[in-house]
Amino acid sequence: TKTILKCYVQVTGMTCASCVANIERNLRREDGIHSILVALMAGKAEVRYNPAVINPSAIAELIQELGFGATVMENCGEGDGILELVVRGMTCASCVHKIESTLMKTNGVLYCSVALATNKAHIKYDPEIIGPRDVIQVIQDLGFATSLVKKDRSASHLDHKQEIRQWKRSFVVSLIFCIPVMGLMIYMMVMDSQLADAHAHHNMSSEEMEALHSSMVLEYQLLPGLSVMNFLSFLLCVPVQMFGGWHFYIQAYKALKHKTANMDVLIVLATTIAFAYSFVILLVAMAEKAKVNPVTFFDTPPMLFVFISLGRWLEHVAKGKTSEALARLISLQATEATIVTLGPDNVLLSEEQVDVELVQRGDIVRVIPGGKFPVDGRVIEGHSMVDESLITGEAMPVTKKPGHTVIAGSINQNGSLLISATHVGADTTLSQIVKLVEEAQTSKAPIQQFADKLSGYFVPSIVAVSVVTLFAWIIIGFVDFEIVEKYFLGYNKSISAAEVIIRFAFQASITVLCIACPCSLGLA
């Protein structure tokens, strides 16, 4: 007997079904080639050949001569079928051994492992020799009930609705409280600049300036040291910090638990420190019954949270769109197939309904008018029109007669067809498209990997710079107080120099943290 070997060739440059037909037609004529099967979406050809006459690299050259790129794939195991089964009725280890040893003796089974505890069997087989129904039959002949592990066809893992909801909520909460905070800030800025102009034109003394300043509505003190402005800012900031920032806190905690520092850590650090510092400063000012209102940072958290939660929300909306398309694609797959047994002269002997995953290569499948094709195959009998728009985008139905190929998921319109299955399970065009789209979604673009790597270094370095700033200003202040005095305008002359220095150092280091946060927007 002549030995027949199998090899896989990666083919590039195929654009449509006619390229596939071209390769298959031309290679079948060559000596030593037993059979060839080309999968368009996977871009690979499975060739069975006689090693005495031809070798894989010669086969690749033949494909190259037709104008396609072709390379021999070394890991030939790619054609292995994988089967997950639930086996009922096993009682002990000897049952497991019985199933495993019988399967391993079966021609075409490459690997088999049965777990008693979970009632599951994991089997690898060669689809050329044996198929899933044969494997199930072997196990049932031993007296065990067996069925397929049901795959989740609903694609629930692709659903982004919950994330979209939570980030939208986070954004809306932050926005509601952010707008008045921004209003207060702008009002203060305008008033300050008007005061500065008045000061420049009317040569007021600084005492008169102070008096004018404190006569402004927002600067009016409700309690000594607590101005209307600071009190309102505090009230508006608390809900944002609690509700708007909730998800950031959770994610930052998870990141720190795994000893990494991501953007969420930086955002949480900046907003929490800004909030806590401002709150403490207010308490100190009230305790001191300060005449001059302290400078607080209550405007920072709401504004940061607004920008960043908006970014997150938009990101999840975009992800949700691609996932939705994928879920629709997955739902186009047929769930069942009608397998028929043919006698001589294509006489119908019997037919049975089976799960789509149980269709084997070479099975004859009958597709009735209005039915979906469960697998890719070749028509062997019947004439019909087929709607292939889901794959080709072509609105007009395509005529199918014996010898034509059909695509899984397309819809048979008016005649009954008998097809011979060529690509089943994960090899069908539709499964390949789903796989490609899933891979495209999960794999990161090179720039994205670079950004992730950067943010890993970015956060710790920003925190370090911020700490350095804090200590640097404390040292500068104690060495030469005049420098701090020059930059720290409008501080209360009655408080001690040490306190002025520490307050100023804190302001500088928080500014570093807060300014770094929007950079995360850039990175995102």
Side-chain angles (χ1 to χ4, degrees), residues 261 265-266 269-270 273 457-470 509 512-513 516:
V265 174
L266 188 61
L269 258 181
I273 293 175
Y457 300 122
F458 181 75
V459 179
S461 55
I462 290 295
V463 174
V465 170
S466 169
V467 172
V468 168
T469 309
L470 176 71
S509 71
V512 170
L513 265 188

Side-chain angles (χ1 to χ4, degrees), residues 6-301:
K6 187 162 64 168
C7 71
Y8 292 90
V9 182
Q10 187 82 48
V11 185
T12 53
M14 296 189 291
T15 51
C16 60
S18 68
C19 301
V20 172
N22 182 12
I23 294 173
E24 289 185 354
R25 192 178 58 244
N26 282 295
L27 282 193
R28 277 204 191 99
R29 296 183 189 144
E30 299 291 336
D31 283 340
I33 289 185
H34 192 266
S35 71
I36 172 165
L37 191 60
V38 181
L40 175 67
M41 291 309 299
K44 76 177 184 197
E46 180 187 302
V47 188
R48 298 179 76 197
Y49 64 97
N50 180 355
V53 184
I54 196 166
N55 64 359
S57 49
I59 294 171
E61 272 168 33
L62 288 171
I63 297 176
Q64 280 165 357
E65 280 166 22
L66 296 172
F68 302 98
T71 47
V72 179
M73 292 163 75
E74 295 304 324
N75 49 342
C76 288
E78 287 216 9
D80 295 346
I82 290 175
L83 191 58
E84 292 273 346
L85 297 176
V86 177
V87 183
R88 301 241 172 264
M90 296 189 292
T91 51
C92 61
S94 70
C95 302
V96 172
H97 177 68
K98 191 159 102 186
I99 296 172
E100 286 183 348
S101 57
T102 313
L103 279 177
M104 289 306 286
K105 282 180 204 149
T106 309
N107 189 15
V109 175
L110 307 171
Y111 164 82
C112 148
S113 139
V114 181
L116 180 65
T118 56
N119 285 339
K120 290 240 178 93
H122 184 83
I123 298 142
K124 269 191 189 166
Y125 61 94
D126 182 348
E128 286 280 316
I129 303 168
I130 196 169
R133 286 206 314 287
D134 308 332
V135 173
I136 287 178
Q137 196 54 54
V138 170
I139 299 175
Q140 282 175 344
D141 289 345
L142 291 171
F144 300 99
T146 176
S147 60
L148 273 176
V149 172
K150 277 281 169 253
K151 282 214 185 98
D152 174 23
R153 285 209 181 87
S154 64
S156 53
H157 63 286
L158 299 171
D159 195 8
H160 285 270
K161 286 195 183 73
Q162 194 205 339
E163 284 98 333
I164 293 174
R165 262 203 313 274
Q166 73 179 34
W167 287 115
K168 183 180 178 180
R169 196 165 52 229
S170 178
F171 169 66
V172 170
V173 168
S174 309
L175 188 68
I176 289 169
F177 292 102
C178 174
I179 291 169
V181 169
M182 282 177 80
L184 291 174
M185 230 176 81
I186 292 165
Y187 175 75
M188 286 299 286
M189 283 173 166
V190 172
M191 293 309 283
D192 275 353
S193 66
Q194 281 179 356
L195 279 176
D197 287 351
H199 180 56
H201 289 115
H202 303 297
N203 299 328
M204 293 179 173
S205 68
S206 51
E207 278 75 25
E208 287 174 306
M209 275 286 293
E210 296 264 305
L212 231 178
H213 203 273
S214 51
S215 69
M216 279 164 55
V217 179
L218 289 178
E219 287 294 323
Y220 174 74
Q221 294 195 334
L222 296 167
L223 297 167
L226 179 66
S227 66
V228 176
M229 166 79 180
N230 279 339
F231 182 62
L232 285 178
S233 301
F234 171 71
L235 284 185
L236 292 167
C237 188
V238 170
V240 176
Q241 201 67 33
M242 301 282 285
F243 303 109
W246 180 248
H247 302 301
F248 290 102
Y249 277 99
I250 293 172
Q251 297 199 294
Y253 170 69
K254 284 180 185 164
L256 287 172
K257 208 164 75 174
H258 296 299
K259 297 186 172 60
T260 59
N262 59 7
M263 274 304 151
D264 298 312
V265 174
L266 188 61
I267 294 159
V268 163
L269 258 181
T271 52
T272 311
I273 293 175
F275 179 77
Y277 168 81
S278 307
F279 185 56
V280 169
I281 277 265
L282 265 191
L283 293 180
V284 170
M286 285 161 72
E288 288 178 348
K289 301 196 174 2
K291 294 278 182 292
V292 177
N293 298 312
V295 177
T296 57
F297 287 108
F298 286 127
D299 50 349
T300 303

Side-chain angles (χ1 to χ4, degrees), residues 258-470:
H258 296 299
K259 297 186 172 60
T260 59
N262 59 7
M263 274 304 151
D264 298 312
V265 174
L266 188 61
I267 294 159
V268 163
L269 258 181
T271 52
T272 311
I273 293 175
F275 179 77
Y277 168 81
S278 307
F279 185 56
V280 169
I281 277 265
L282 265 191
L283 293 180
V284 170
M286 285 161 72
E288 288 178 348
K289 301 196 174 2
K291 294 278 182 292
V292 177
N293 298 312
V295 177
T296 57
F297 287 108
F298 286 127
D299 50 349
T300 303
M303 289 168 76
L304 269 184
F305 281 143
V306 161
F307 289 128
I308 292 163
S309 54
L310 174 64
R312 294 280 164 92
W313 176 35
L314 293 176
E315 182 187 2
H316 281 289
V317 167
K319 274 188 186 164
K321 289 268 189 294
T322 35
S323 302
E324 207 174 283
L326 238 190
R328 286 212 193 113
L329 248 185
I330 292 173
S331 69
L332 289 170
Q333 291 170 323
T335 52
E336 291 204 317
T338 307
I339 291 178
V340 298
T341 320
L342 296 180
D345 301 333
N346 286 1
V347 180
L348 226 87
L349 296 180
S350 69
E351 60 176 66
E352 61 168 329
Q353 287 281 94
V354 298
D355 206 301
V356 131
E357 274 105 21
L358 292 179
V359 179
Q360 297 171 185
R361 200 189 279 179
D363 277 344
I364 309 296
V365 179
R366 189 161 77 93
V367 183
I368 55 170
K372 276 183 190 169
F373 289 98
V375 290
D376 292 4
R378 222 174 245 107
V379 179
I380 53 172
E381 195 179 283
H383 285 256
S384 183
M385 303 293 278
V386 173
D387 174 8
E388 291 186 343
S389 58
L390 94 140
I391 302 286
T392 60
E394 187 178 1
M396 296 299 289
V398 187
T399 311
K400 295 289 177 194
K401 49 183 192 277
H404 285 188
T405 52
V406 291
I407 306 169
S410 53
I411 298 163
N412 184 17
Q413 291 196 331
N414 43 23
S416 182
L417 291 177
L418 287 182
I419 64 164
S420 167
T422 54
H423 297 88
V424 296
D427 291 334
T428 63
T429 308
L430 196 56
S431 303
Q432 289 292 334
I433 293 177
V434 170
K435 186 172 142 213
L436 286 170
V437 179
E438 272 185 335
E439 274 173 13
Q441 260 201 304
T442 49
S443 62
K444 290 179 178 173
I447 186 76
Q448 199 178 345
Q449 281 171 335
F450 180 64
D452 285 358
K453 199 163 148 192
L454 264 189
S455 69
Y457 300 122
F458 181 75
V459 179
S461 55
I462 290 295
V463 174
V465 170
S466 169
V467 172
V468 168
T469 309
L470 176 71

